């Protein structure tokens, strides 16, 4: 194992939580390295005066009785401090956390030089899907032993440092010079590391630095479904295309793109980045990136000339110099680098690098819902000149349009974000303090409190708004912060909130938010979209009559329905079983289990993790195994059998490789939470909010869940639904019938036909056999 020729300590802590002084260290481990050679080790369990949380006992395998007769931190503080030594270079995985926790216990290392190995890995292992120690250990085959314990993490971190060092030494001489200049502006630890790099007369870039060219597909046959989607409806009329379950429509649509100067098809997807990961973008299709994913050249020039960099700024600057990315997707941004990008490098709507995307448009454009919804509503947006009579708006996954439009046209404020941005700005900090005092008083100790015009008309609100006006007159506010402050200004002016749902939210982690969203989305969509542009919505199978929140009652529609194929057939079973049976005996190698709440996930984690791991089963749990990107990476790399527990709402955003998952288990029907403010207020629009609004939204979500599963299920992969309400509740038969339509074996598909009838004055319908998928 080759290490940098430095002296340092690699350390790790196991703790009862994430908050210094509130949560405690229960284990410390470290390895001292002198001039690249291991010199000594230290490892100690530490007793605490409180119980170890059950989740921590499972995560660390440190039980309460293991701490009996162990020393307290007061007993070992001097020993640990002596082992680390004064001014020692500290190295660790996400080491900032350990430094904060040690400071909370009375060992202050904040002035010591430090290096985060997860950041080093993000520099030289851009091919990895995550930089968590567990995932990196699996993929790079690091010595991660003893598992779950502090010394195991130290051993794995030491090996990761060695592997990163090996890759640094492969850099060409020119990049070593650039790296030393950039890291010379950074924190002391990174300066020390990069100063030890020695040029070896390398001229070629190593293979790991060579960015893979995005996939480009050749055009294939034009399917009847794709051809019909491209048929441009007249303005004022919306075409609804009921998609089959098979997740192939969007790819077929892009592949069917044809040069046609008379029409420009704007294809909007819910999540552009996720879509690009699974799509092959053909030649002639242009991706329109939102401004936050593009780099502003002028801002990058200013950034490069900074005299001093934080560690995150320096690592991001290094990636810009090494990889010369066109957008954020071209580099492996990590941790707080995202904040640096958004605050200092990202484009705005006026940036040249963003606006040039709208010049010389090809026939087909790919963008996301949020971007489209924002610029169709903004008469000053650069896209407006391109949205001429040739424009045809096609919205994929339109069952999500209510939610994405609510977000796009909503006003939001995070108190934590505003307070972070107020550091060093006295007037903004004073305003933030006043705002927080008013919020605490107004919400009356409720986690969700709806604000009305009389709440926003009180003298203290007027005074807060006056303070905000003074803040906004100042210069130099970052664009993301300025946008939130402008949203606050609109929210606090009660005259702006007519027709809006306005509320205060306090979440479980203590974070506080202000929200103001339109109560009626359909009229806004009609004004901004349907009445101005030819529009086609791709919607779930048999859902044309249930889109009341995105289509005004007066809206004229044409419905296109497609016949099913074998790709739309799923083995779905309805069983009276417990989750326990699927945990103890998973179906196939990889199983995903959807649970309705984080609490249930935590309960099952506590109850079954140790038992399952003893049997060789890997278990991954939402909120206990990192964020979504990390969970996806660890699920992909995990030894089998593997079970992943998460909520249906999180699962909708999962992106995995095809042919990966053998079974999907749905424990409970994923209804919207009745206390969700937006859902509750919109339910009041109906005579029966549950039957006319809640159930359709459930059906739309079930379709999306099944479609997500179809993207990565194995050829024999099936679905099991466990909810007893399917047989015990009156509405259960309706939901079961909806699911059973996807169990039917595909019939031979007839040739496309067109047949129009008018069951209502406002709706045109084309028969079920009108289209074939292939």
């Amino acid at each position: 194992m080759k290490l940098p020729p430095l002296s340092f300590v690699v350390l790790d802590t196991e703790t009862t939580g994430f908050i210094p002084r509130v949560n405690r260290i229960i284990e410390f481990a470290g390895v001292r390295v002198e001039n690249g050679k291991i010199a000594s080790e230290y490892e100690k369990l530490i007793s605490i005066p409180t119980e170890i949380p059950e989740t921590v006992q499972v995560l660390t395998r440190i039980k309460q009785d293991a701490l009996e007769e162990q020393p307290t931190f007061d007993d070992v503080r001097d020993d640990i401090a002596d082992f680390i030594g004064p001014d020692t270079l500290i190295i660790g995985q996400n080491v900032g956390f350990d430094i904060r926790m040690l400071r909370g216990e009375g060992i202050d290392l904040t002035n010591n030089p430090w290096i985060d190995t997860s950041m080093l890995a993000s520099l030289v292992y851009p091919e990895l899907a995550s930089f968590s120690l567990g995932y990196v250990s699996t993929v790079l085959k690091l010595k991660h032993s003893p598992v779950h314990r502090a010394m195991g993490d130290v051993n794995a971190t030491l090996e990761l440092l060695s592997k990163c060092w090996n890759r640094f030494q492969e850099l060409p001489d020119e990049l070593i010079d650039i790296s030393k200049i950039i890291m010379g502006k950074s924190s002391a630890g990174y300066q020390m590391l990069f100063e030890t790099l020695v040029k070896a007369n390398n001229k070629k870039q190593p293979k790991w630095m060579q960015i893979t060219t995005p996939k480009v597909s050749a055009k294939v046959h034009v399917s009847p479904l794709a051809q019909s989607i491209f048929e441009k409806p007249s303005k004022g009329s919306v075409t609804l295309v009921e998609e089959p379950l098979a997740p192939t429509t969007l790819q077929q649509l892009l592949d069917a793109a044809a040069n046609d100067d008379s029409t420009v098809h704007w294809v909007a997807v819910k999540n552009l980045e996720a879509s690009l990961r699974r799509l092959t973008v053909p030649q002639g299709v242009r991706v329109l990136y939102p401004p936050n994913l593009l780099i502003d050249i002028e801002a990058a020039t200013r950034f490069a000339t900074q005299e001093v960099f934080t560690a995150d700024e320096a690592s991001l600057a290094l990636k810009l110099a090494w990889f010369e990315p066109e957008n954020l997707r071209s580099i492996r941004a990590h941790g707080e680098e995202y904040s640096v990008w958004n605050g200092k490098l990202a484009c705005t709507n006026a940036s040249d690098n963003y606006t040039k995307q709208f010049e010389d448009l090809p026939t087909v454009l790919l963008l996301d819902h949020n971007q489209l919804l924002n610029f169709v509503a903004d008469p000053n947006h650069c896209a407006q000149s391109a949205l001429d009579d040739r424009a045809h708006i096609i919205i994929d996954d339109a069952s999500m349009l209510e939610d994405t439009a609510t977000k796009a046209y909503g006003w939001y404020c995070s108190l934590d974000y505003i307070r972070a941005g107020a550091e060093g700005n006295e007037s903004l900090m004073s305003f933030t303090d006043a705002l927080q005092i008013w919020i605490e008083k107004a919400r009356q100790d409720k986690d969700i409190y709806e604000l009305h015009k009389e709440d926003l008309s009180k003298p203290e609100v007027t005074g807060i708004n006056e303070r905000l006006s003074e803040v906004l007159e100042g210069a130099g506010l970052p664009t993301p912060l300025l946008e939130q402050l402008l949203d606050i200004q609109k929210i606090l002016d009660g005259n702006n909130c007519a027709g809006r749902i306005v509320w205060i939210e306090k979440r479980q982690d203590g974070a506080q938010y202000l929200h103001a969203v339109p109560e009626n989305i359909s009229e806004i969509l009609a004004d901004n979209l349907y009445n101005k542009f030819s529009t086609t919505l791709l919607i779930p199978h048999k859902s044309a009559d249930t889109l009341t929140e995105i289509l005004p009652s007066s809206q004229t529609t044409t419905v296109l329905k497609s016949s099913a194929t074998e790709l739309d057939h799923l083995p779905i079973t309805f069983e009276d079983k417990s989750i326990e049976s699927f945990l103890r005996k998973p179906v196939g190698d990889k199983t995903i289990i959807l649970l309705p709440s984080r609490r249930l996930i935590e309960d099952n984690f506590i109850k079954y993790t140790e038992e399952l791991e003893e049997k060789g089963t890997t278990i991954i749990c939402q909120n206990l195994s990192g964020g979504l990107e990390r969970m996806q990476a660890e699920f992909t790399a995990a030894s089998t059998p593997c079970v992943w527990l998460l909520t249906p709402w999180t699962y909708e955003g999962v992106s995995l490789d095809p042919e990966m998952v053998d079974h999907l288990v749905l424990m409970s029907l994923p209804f919207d939470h009745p206390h969700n403010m937006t859902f509750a207020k919109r339910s009041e629009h109906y005579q029966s909010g549950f039957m006319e609004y809640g159930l359709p939204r459930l059906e739309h979500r079930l379709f999306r869940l099944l479609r997500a599963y179809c993207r990565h299920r194995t050829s024999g992969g099936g679905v099991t639904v466990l909810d007893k309400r399917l047989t015990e509740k009156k509405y259960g038969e309706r939901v079961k019938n909806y699911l059973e339509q996807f169990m039917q074996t595909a019939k031979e598909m007839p040739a496309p036909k067109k047949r129009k009838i008018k069951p209502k004055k406002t709706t045109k319908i084309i028969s079920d056999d009108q289209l074939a998928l292939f």
Side-chain angles (χ1 to χ4, degrees):
M1 182 168 59
K2 191 173 182 180
L3 294 168
L6 292 168
S7 297
F8 53 88
V9 168
V10 177
L11 58 78
D12 184 72
T13 60
E14 298 297 338
T15 69
T16 60
F18 302 105
I19 305 173
R21 289 186 290 276
V22 174
N23 301 117
R24 305 298 302 275
I25 293 175
I26 55 176
E27 187 178 34
F28 173 87
V31 169
R32 171 170 283 281
V33 174
E34 299 287 352
N35 297 315
K37 304 292 183 183
I38 295 177
S40 60
E41 297 182 357
Y42 183 97
E43 184 178 13
K44 183 65 69 175
L45 286 170
I46 300 165
S47 68
I48 57 174
T50 57
E51 290 286 319
I52 305 172
E54 287 184 287
T55 52
V56 174
Q57 292 188 45
V58 175
L59 282 167
T60 64
R61 301 299 194 270
I62 299 174
K63 306 301 181 184
Q64 196 68 38
D65 57 6
L67 300 187
E68 292 179 4
E69 300 182 3
Q70 294 293 338
T72 66
F73 205 95
D74 288 340
D75 297 327
V76 298
R77 184 181 294 108
D78 290 343
D79 292 341
I80 292 175
D82 289 342
F83 172 79
I84 295 172
D87 304 319
T88 301
L89 172 62
I90 307 299
I91 297 179
Q93 183 80 353
N94 299 313
V95 72
F97 168 76
D98 300 291
I99 290 173
R100 289 191 295 273
M101 294 304 296
L102 284 166
R103 186 181 185 187
E105 298 283 7
I107 297 178
D108 191 352
L109 304 175
T110 52
N111 291 325
N112 285 57
W114 56 269
I115 293 172
D116 184 348
T117 49
S118 70
M119 189 57 75
L120 296 183
S122 78
L123 283 166
V124 295
Y125 282 96
E127 71 271 25
L128 296 185
S130 170
F131 302 106
S132 73
L133 193 57
Y135 172 75
V136 170
S137 296
T138 300
V139 174
L140 300 183
K141 297 180 172 54
L142 306 179
K143 178 191 173 185
H144 201 166
S145 177
V147 180
H148 305 295
R149 299 295 292 272
M151 187 54 79
D153 288 352
V154 168
N155 290 331
T157 300
L158 202 56
E159 285 205 6
L160 176 58
L161 174 63
S162 174
K163 287 186 176 291
C164 290
W165 179 245
N166 290 337
R167 284 205 167 182
F168 279 124
Q169 291 180 307
E170 296 173 1
L171 289 171
D173 292 353
E174 180 184 5
L175 290 187
I176 287 180
D177 288 337
I178 293 173
S179 302
K180 287 186 174 184
I181 291 171
I182 291 174
M183 285 303 184
K185 300 179 180 182
S186 182
S187 57
Y190 292 103
Q191 290 182 31
M192 295 167 66
L193 178 67
F194 279 82
E195 278 302 315
T196 62
L197 276 177
V198 177
K199 291 188 285 188
N201 202 28
N202 293 334
K203 294 183 179 180
K204 292 184 178 180
Q205 281 193 345
K207 289 183 178 180
W208 55 266
M209 291 195 73
Q210 296 168 12
I211 299 174
T212 305
T213 303
K215 297 177 292 183
V216 177
S217 72
K219 298 287 178 64
V220 298
H221 69 283
V222 180
S223 72
L225 178 61
Q227 194 171 29
S228 295
I229 293 171
F230 274 137
E231 290 181 6
K232 184 179 175 182
S234 59
K235 287 185 182 179
S237 175
V238 176
T239 297
L240 305 177
V241 180
E242 294 193 343
E243 292 187 86
L245 189 62
T248 56
T249 304
L250 186 57
Q251 185 64 65
Q252 290 183 51
L253 189 62
L254 298 182
D255 289 339
N259 291 325
D260 177 7
D261 292 338
S262 67
T263 306
V264 176
H265 304 283
W266 301 66
V267 182
V269 296
K270 178 200 168 191
N271 186 321
L272 182 62
E273 290 186 81
S275 297
L276 290 174
R277 281 194 291 270
R278 60 177 178 260
L279 289 172
T280 302
V281 180
Q283 291 181 344
V285 174
R286 180 180 297 176
V287 177
L288 295 179
Y289 291 100
N292 66 295
L293 290 185
L294 293 172
I295 188 166
D296 185 297
I297 303 303
E298 292 184 7
T301 302
R302 291 193 299 271
F303 179 67
T305 59
Q306 285 185 196
E307 293 184 2
V308 178
F309 285 135
T310 66
D312 295 301
E313 288 175 341
S315 58
L316 184 55
L318 207 55
K319 291 172 184 177
L320 298 181
W322 284 3
F323 300 107
E324 298 180 350
E326 295 181 358
N327 55 64
L328 186 57
R329 293 187 70 244
S330 301
I331 57 173
R332 291 293 285 119
H334 176 65
E336 289 304 311
E337 287 179 343
Y338 287 101
S339 298
V340 176
W341 178 282
N342 288 325
K344 294 195 171 185
L345 294 167
C347 282
T348 66
N349 286 342
S351 299
D352 289 343
N353 215 25
Y354 176 66
T355 59
K356 72 180 184 181
Q357 295 184 111
F358 298 92
E359 300 170 0
D360 301 321
L361 296 178
T363 301
V364 177
L365 310 169
L366 186 65
L367 67 162
D368 62 32
H369 285 193
N370 189 68
Q371 190 180 181
L372 173 73
L373 293 168
N374 275 302
F375 64 58
V376 296
D378 181 0
N380 299 316
H381 196 282
C382 62
Q384 286 290 334
S385 60
L387 287 164
D388 52 24
D389 290 339
R390 298 182 303 153
H392 174 203
I393 309 298
I394 301 172
I395 299 184
D396 180 54
D397 208 0
S399 67
M400 284 298 300
L401 190 54
E402 178 190 347
D403 293 345
T404 53
T406 297
K407 184 176 181 180
Y409 298 136
W411 305 328
Y412 304 92
C413 155
S414 161
L415 263 292
D416 286 350
Y417 185 91
I418 300 298
R419 188 168 293 283
E423 289 293 334
N425 186 325
E426 187 175 340
S427 62
L428 180 53
M429 186 63 79
S430 175
F431 159 77
T432 306
D433 290 339
L435 180 63
Q436 186 148 21
I437 291 169
W438 171 73
I439 285 175
E440 287 292 347
K441 180 181 177 182
R443 70 182 183 87
Q444 301 175 30
D445 289 327
K446 296 178 182 178
D447 291 339
I448 301 289
Y449 179 79
E450 184 179 4
L451 292 167
H452 299 93
K453 188 171 182 179
E454 52 268 27
D455 295 306
L456 300 170
S457 302
K458 294 181 178 178
E460 58 261 47
V461 177
T462 303
I464 292 170
N465 234 342
E466 289 172 355
R467 287 195 187 190
L468 179 55
S469 297
E470 294 174 5
V471 169
L472 292 172
E473 289 174 1
L477 293 172
T479 300
L481 177 61
L482 179 61
E483 288 174 351
Q484 287 214 20
L485 292 173
L486 291 173
D487 277 0
I488 296 174
Q489 190 176 51
K490 287 182 280 192
I491 292 171
L492 295 181
D493 185 346
N495 295 322
N496 289 326
C497 292
R500 286 186 174 263
I501 307 165
V502 187
W503 75 99
I504 298 168
E505 176 187 12
K506 183 177 182 180
R507 297 182 181 172
Q508 290 182 343
D509 61 2
Q512 295 178 322
Y513 297 83
L514 280 173
H515 305 265
V517 302
E519 184 165 353
N520 190 325
I521 280 292
S522 64
E523 296 298 334
I524 296 176
L525 289 172
D527 291 342
N528 292 335
L529 196 62
Y530 312 144
N531 296 340
K532 293 181 179 179
F533 307 105
S534 300
T535 306
T536 297
L537 306 182
L538 308 188
I539 62 176
H541 194 50
K542 294 187 178 180
S543 66
D545 295 329
T546 61
L547 300 169
T548 50
E549 282 300 315
I550 63 171
L551 291 169
S553 58
S554 59
Q555 183 65 56
T556 300
T557 59
T558 299
V559 181
L560 305 183
K561 298 185 179 183
S562 59
S563 299
T565 73
E566 284 293 345
L567 295 177
D568 303 297
H569 172 68
L570 275 175
I572 302 177
T573 58
F574 305 94
E575 300 184 26
D576 185 11
K577 286 184 178 180
S578 66
I579 289 297
E580 178 182 338
S581 60
F582 291 95
L583 287 168
R584 288 185 164 152
K585 193 174 181 181
V587 181
D589 286 338
K590 292 195 173 180
T591 299
I592 291 178
I593 301 178
L594 305 183
L595 301 179
S597 71
R598 295 176 181 179
R599 179 187 59 79
L600 280 174
I601 292 172
E602 184 175 302
D603 289 346
N604 281 279
F605 172 81
I606 292 169
K607 187 174 182 180
Y608 295 110
T609 294
E610 293 178 75
E611 174 190 334
L612 293 179
E613 290 193 359
E614 285 178 6
K615 295 178 179 179
T617 299
T618 304
I619 183 168
I620 296 172
C621 295
Q622 182 178 337
N623 276 34
L624 297 161
S625 302
L628 180 57
E629 186 178 80
R630 173 178 166 181
M631 288 190 292
Q632 288 176 167
E634 294 191 355
F635 183 72
T636 299
S639 59
T640 58
C642 179
V643 181
W644 184 5
L645 276 57
L646 68 165
T647 65
W649 297 271
T650 301
Y651 179 62
E652 283 192 56
V654 165
S655 181
L656 298 170
D657 291 337
E659 293 286 326
M660 181 176 290
V661 185
D662 297 295
H663 206 75
L664 177 70
V665 180
L666 181 62
M667 177 184 177
S668 179
L669 296 177
F671 285 104
D672 288 282
H673 196 288
H675 293 151
N676 177 286
M677 179 63 73
T678 307
F679 175 76
K681 295 296 290 184
R682 289 179 181 160
S683 294
E684 296 173 3
H685 299 170
Y686 302 88
Q687 185 172 353
S688 172
F690 178 75
M691 295 298 293
E692 298 175 65
Y693 181 51
L695 269 182
R697 279 182 59 89
L698 170 69
E699 291 168 348
H700 300 164
R701 185 171 292 115
L702 289 170
F703 179 89
R704 296 195 300 269
L705 293 174
L706 294 179
R707 169 171 274 200
Y709 178 57
C710 286
R711 292 190 180 109
H712 46 245
R713 77 181 184 101
T714 55
S715 56
V719 178
T720 300
V721 184
L722 304 179
D723 199 320
K724 293 181 180 180
R725 290 176 292 184
L726 291 171
T727 55
E728 294 177 353
K729 298 292 184 179
K730 289 183 179 179
Y731 62 80
E733 183 178 359
R734 168 177 164 174
V735 177
K736 190 175 181 181
N737 289 340
Y738 181 80
L739 290 170
E740 284 176 341
Q741 68 181 307
F742 304 114
M743 296 168 57
Q744 298 168 356
T745 302
K747 300 177 181 178
E748 184 177 347
M749 294 164 291
K753 299 177 182 178
K754 289 195 175 183
R755 176 170 59 87
K756 295 190 177 183
I757 57 175
K758 288 183 84 175
K760 297 181 181 178
K761 290 181 180 180
T762 59
T763 305
K764 297 177 183 178
I765 295 185
I766 295 174
S767 65
D768 284 355
D769 63 355
Q770 184 258 342
L771 289 173
L773 181 57
F774 296 108

